[in-house]
Amino acid sequence: HERCQSREKKYAEEIWPKEITREISTNSLGSGNADFPPGDPGIYQLDVTLRRGQNLAARDRGGTSDPYVKFKLGGKEVFRSKTIHKNLNPVWEEKACILIDNLREPLYIKVFDYDFGLQDDFIGSAFLDLTSLELNRQTDVTLSLKDPHYPDHDLGSIFLSVLLAPGDQREA
């Protein structure tokens, strides 16, 4: 996977001088971020520890939920947690390592209530802005869950611990 990336990058540099590539990237993105030069897409590794949920919305008749969490990146599911039954304050302590090739693509966190034999109920979702993370620094993050259909409802919170590092650092 990494070999493919470097081959594509090298090919792009042969065709387009760096100045032009950088200019095109900056213009097409619209929102520039000084910390992450758009001309250097690179690969990053995001280590996420899904710690726990707090005061999650009840979706079952008994006033509880069977929550699990999905992480999505660019529309693709990159992680799914275990389901914790009958608990509105679940503790997962599950770790995921995710390769990131575009820091401007936020990590989408969706929480569901598992229902046996039925469609799972949506509890809430949140976004993690990867450009806001400091490289090589473990950060604890609390995300408030929202439902676009009910923006003023309190659906609970998800606690994560995240570490973003350049992908090529592991080889050193």
Side-chain angles (χ1 to χ4, degrees), residues 47-106:
D47 293 337
V48 185
T49 303
L50 171 62
R51 297 229 178 265
R52 61 192 179 92
Q54 184 176 303
N55 300 326
L56 299 183
R59 293 288 185 251
D60 289 339
R61 268 181 285 180
T64 184
S65 284
D66 305 309
Y68 67 89
V69 179
K70 286 183 179 181
F71 295 162
K72 286 186 156 190
L73 197 61
K76 289 188 195 135
E77 185 177 314
V78 292
F79 170 80
R80 179 181 167 150
S81 75
K82 294 180 297 207
T83 299
I84 297 187
H85 295 280
K86 298 189 185 327
N87 198 328
L88 299 179
N89 297 291
V91 175
W92 284 283
E93 289 298 335
E94 290 185 52
K95 190 167 182 174
C97 295
I98 303 165
L99 287 180
I100 309 282
D101 58 7
N102 180 1
L103 290 172
R104 286 177 179 77
E105 188 77 54

Side-chain angles (χ1 to χ4, degrees), residues 121-166:
D121 298 314
F122 176 70
I123 293 178
S125 64
F127 287 97
L128 177 61
D129 177 8
L130 301 178
T131 62
S132 70
L133 300 176
E134 193 177 324
L135 286 176
N136 300 315
R137 181 168 182 175
Q138 186 87 28
T139 309
D140 291 328
V141 180
T142 303
L143 299 171
S144 294
L145 297 175
K146 298 286 176 205
D147 183 337
H149 299 107
Y150 306 99
D152 53 344
H153 285 201
D154 180 10
L155 304 170
S157 303
I158 291 291
F159 294 81
L160 308 171
S161 185
V162 296
L163 174 66
L164 181 67

Side-chain angles (χ1 to χ4, degrees), residues 11-25:
Y11 179 71
E13 286 171 1
E14 288 170 5
I15 295 175
W16 301 95
K18 265 196 160 120
E19 297 76 28
I20 294 174
T21 307
R22 188 167 278 133
E23 191 177 337
I24 291 169
S25 300

Side-chain angles (χ1 to χ4, degrees), residues 100-120:
I100 309 282
D101 58 7
N102 180 1
L103 290 172
R104 286 177 179 77
E105 188 77 54
L107 184 67
Y108 189 30
I109 292 104
K110 293 178 95 171
V111 184
F112 293 92
D113 166 47
Y114 173 79
D115 286 325
F116 181 75
L118 302 166
Q119 185 171 349
D120 295 347

